[in-house]
Amino acid sequence: MKKYAVIVAGGSGSRMGASVPKQFLLLAGKPVLWYSINTFLAAYDDLQVILVVPAGHWEMAKTLVAGVSDPARVRLAEGGETRFHSVRSGLGFVDGESLVAVHDGVRCLASIGLVRRCFEQAARLGSAIPVVDCKDSVRWMEGGGSKPMDRRRVKLVQTPQTFLGGLLLGAFESQGGSVGLGAIAGRDGAEFTDEATVVEAAGHAVHLVEGEVNNIKITLPADLVFAEQLIRKEGWA
């Protein structure tokens, strides 16, 4: 089967206090996205990356792609107003029988091993949603108060969320119209926080797989510090 990675890179630098979108900020001299893209390219020689970016970041993205390990296997897609619409745009380039991973571009510390684990499980079971245990105490907000929850029953969800292509494309089409840029929208997609929720809304069960504690989503300045320390320690730079 063909292999695709739809990497969504639509964030801003607002919470970073930066003028540059966080996916283009430098870590050990390379943009955050550079690490994400290269991890997927290294995982499989036959994998194609579909990088989804807002139209306003097109030139920055083209410059970045020129510097990855195999630019010929990366193509750009234009992002939409929500994550749902951005992923749907990227899925317009998925062709034939395939496995498709959808990944947050700012999760730049995901390992090659995690990528392969997700693809292998999706090939067997139809989906692979990486999760990690919750280490903090958890409370459920209800009415005007709250109540404790058993954290052993809570999992924190990560990406790459990986699926059989037909399953994922069918779910997006059933929930929001045709895939691809300019597709006619059905629901506005705002209620979908990830691809697992889209697939479940279409009536399919999803299967969890072990994630990685270091696979954080770069959101705050402290995340950049942690990521750079790990990148230098592992010799990825």
Side-chain angles (χ1 to χ4, degrees):
M1 286 188 283
K2 295 180 181 179
K3 301 180 187 71
Y4 295 92
V6 177
I7 299 181
V8 185
S12 69
S14 57
R15 278 182 282 186
M16 288 286 185
S19 57
V20 177
K22 58 187 177 182
Q23 60 269 30
F24 296 106
L25 292 174
L26 297 183
L27 281 174
K30 301 289 186 182
V32 167
L33 267 178
W34 182 90
Y35 296 97
S36 300
I37 294 170
N38 276 327
T39 295
F40 282 92
L41 294 177
Y44 294 103
D45 292 338
D46 59 345
L47 180 146
Q48 181 176 349
V49 171
I50 302 166
L51 179 61
V52 186
V53 294
H57 301 157
W58 205 260
E59 292 305 316
M60 292 177 70
K62 287 199 294 186
T63 300
L64 184 151
V65 168
V68 302
S69 61
D70 191 353
R73 287 197 282 139
V74 183
R75 69 185 307 166
L76 296 181
E78 186 175 331
E81 356 177 324
T82 67
R83 178 192 178 87
F84 176 85
H85 295 100
S86 292
V87 173
R88 192 178 65 182
S89 174
L91 291 177
F93 293 103
V94 172
D95 179 45
E97 189 176 0
S98 60
L99 290 165
V100 183
V102 181
H103 189 58
D104 297 322
V106 291
R107 289 188 186 271
C108 59
L109 301 178
S111 72
I112 292 172
L114 175 60
V115 171
R116 290 175 177 166
R117 187 157 67 245
C118 290
F119 272 91
E120 289 164 7
Q121 178 172 299
R124 293 195 325 268
L125 303 179
S127 61
I129 312 301
V131 298
V132 294
D133 292 337
C134 178
K135 296 179 180 179
D136 297 323
S137 295
V138 180
R139 298 193 70 84
W140 178 266
M141 304 302 294
E142 191 171 61
S146 67
K147 61 183 180 181
M149 291 183 64
D150 184 353
R151 67 183 175 191
R152 292 172 297 181
R153 301 185 63 187
V154 175
K155 296 292 183 181
L156 306 181
V157 181
Q158 302 180 334
T159 66
Q161 298 188 9
T162 310
F163 306 85
L164 288 171
L167 176 67
L168 184 61
L169 268 69
F172 268 79
E173 289 172 351
S174 71
Q175 298 305 307
S178 302
V179 297
L181 182 62
I184 298 173
R187 298 163 70 171
D188 65 11
E191 70 271 38
F192 298 122
T193 58
D194 64 0
E195 291 62 56
T197 54
V198 178
V199 170
E200 286 178 315
H204 304 284
V206 297
H207 302 278
L208 307 183
V209 70
E210 184 182 356
E212 295 176 336
V213 174
N214 288 339
N215 183 24
I216 64 170
K217 188 174 183 180
I218 302 293
T219 306
L220 301 171
D223 299 330
L224 280 174
V225 174
F226 171 78
E228 180 148 352
Q229 288 176 343
L230 185 61
I231 283 169
R232 293 191 183 279
K233 177 183 176 182
E234 299 294 333
W236 297 345

